[in-house]
Amino acid sequence: MASVKPAVLRIAGISGSLRKGSYNRGLIRSAIEICNESIKDVEVEHVDITPLPLLNTDLEVDGKFPAPVEEFRQKIASADAILFASPEYNYSIAGPLKNAIDWASRGQNCWADKPAAVISAGGFFGGGRSQYHLRQVGVFLDLHFINKPELCIQAFSPPQKFDSEGNLIDADTKERLKQVILSLQAFTLRLKGEGAASEL
């Protein structure tokens, strides 16, 4: 009997920073590379929030959203799981990320029942306070965050974690990021009722 090839798990990777050289964007790029190189049947797609307009319900016409918002909402709705890279601005979530979250929650909530993980890079706390605020927002959105492992990267402390273009270069941090993705994969399969089958 022919074996059934497992479906590829599709993860939408979202960086809360719009800057091209952002360390948090670099984390999403690294997640894509890690999956391509060493995690079977998992794909991370960077879903760019740069084109999204500021939330304004006047832009909703006849029940439809602006084209960039529609495209973003479709990508979130079709993803199996979400990976947030959340920078910390003033002890909280970055404005562009909150804007994206709000657009995808309008009308039919595209976040509902999605497994999720959050990672961050920043100063002394490594963006940890933004993670806690994002988890709080996720309660109302019915997002299901993994609890562990946590990844809050102290980007400015030695050893060097990122190069001048924001690419993750530290091997230990890459391994920690891989463990987050593996945990998200396992949690997602469990929620989809495929965890037991995958272990056979």
Side-chain angles (χ1 to χ4, degrees):
M1 183 176 178
S3 60
V4 178
K5 185 178 180 180
V8 173
L9 195 72
R10 296 167 301 172
I11 299 175
I14 302 172
S15 168
S17 176
L18 307 185
R19 187 172 64 87
K20 289 182 179 180
S22 158
Y23 295 155
N24 287 279
R25 279 195 168 217
L27 290 177
I28 296 298
R29 288 195 300 273
S30 186
I32 293 170
E33 294 170 0
I34 288 169
C35 289
N36 289 342
E37 295 171 1
S38 62
I39 302 181
K40 187 178 179 182
D41 300 321
V42 178
E43 291 181 355
V44 175
E45 177 189 0
H46 177 209
V47 181
D48 191 4
I49 63 175
T50 305
L52 298 177
L54 288 175
L55 182 69
N56 179 354
T57 55
D58 288 342
L59 300 177
E60 300 175 26
V61 180
D62 297 328
K64 295 183 178 180
F65 300 94
V69 175
E70 289 282 7
E71 181 179 358
F72 176 72
R73 288 171 56 86
Q74 289 171 10
K75 288 184 176 182
I76 298 305
S78 63
D80 296 305
I82 312 295
L83 176 64
F84 293 99
S86 179
E88 181 179 316
Y89 291 1
N90 298 321
Y91 280 22
S92 191
I93 306 166
L97 179 56
K98 184 59 166 61
N99 185 59
I101 289 170
D102 292 344
W103 269 126
S105 70
R106 295 283 302 160
Q108 182 177 351
N109 177 15
C110 299
W111 307 105
D113 288 328
K114 299 284 186 185
V118 55
I119 56 180
S120 59
F124 182 73
F125 288 102
R129 286 168 293 211
S130 74
Q131 292 196 21
Y132 295 144
H133 277 194
L134 182 57
R135 289 175 180 274
Q136 185 177 19
V137 172
V139 172
F140 183 78
L141 298 173
D142 291 324
L143 276 166
H144 306 303
F145 281 96
I146 63 170
N147 292 323
K148 293 182 178 66
E150 293 181 311
L151 184 56
C152 306
I153 303 166
Q154 295 179 332
F156 309 106
S157 299
Q160 184 179 356
K161 311 297 193 309
F162 299 88
D163 65 18
S164 60
E165 296 180 344
N167 298 305
L168 182 63
I169 59 174
D170 180 63
D172 289 342
T173 305
K174 286 185 177 182
E175 179 58 31
R176 292 175 63 197
L177 175 55
K178 180 178 179 179
Q179 293 306 312
V180 171
I181 299 169
L182 287 171
S183 179
L184 179 58
Q185 177 192 28
F187 185 55
T188 303
L189 291 175
R190 192 161 79 241
L191 289 183
K192 291 165 70 73
E194 300 174 15
S198 68
E199 296 170 0
L200 296 178

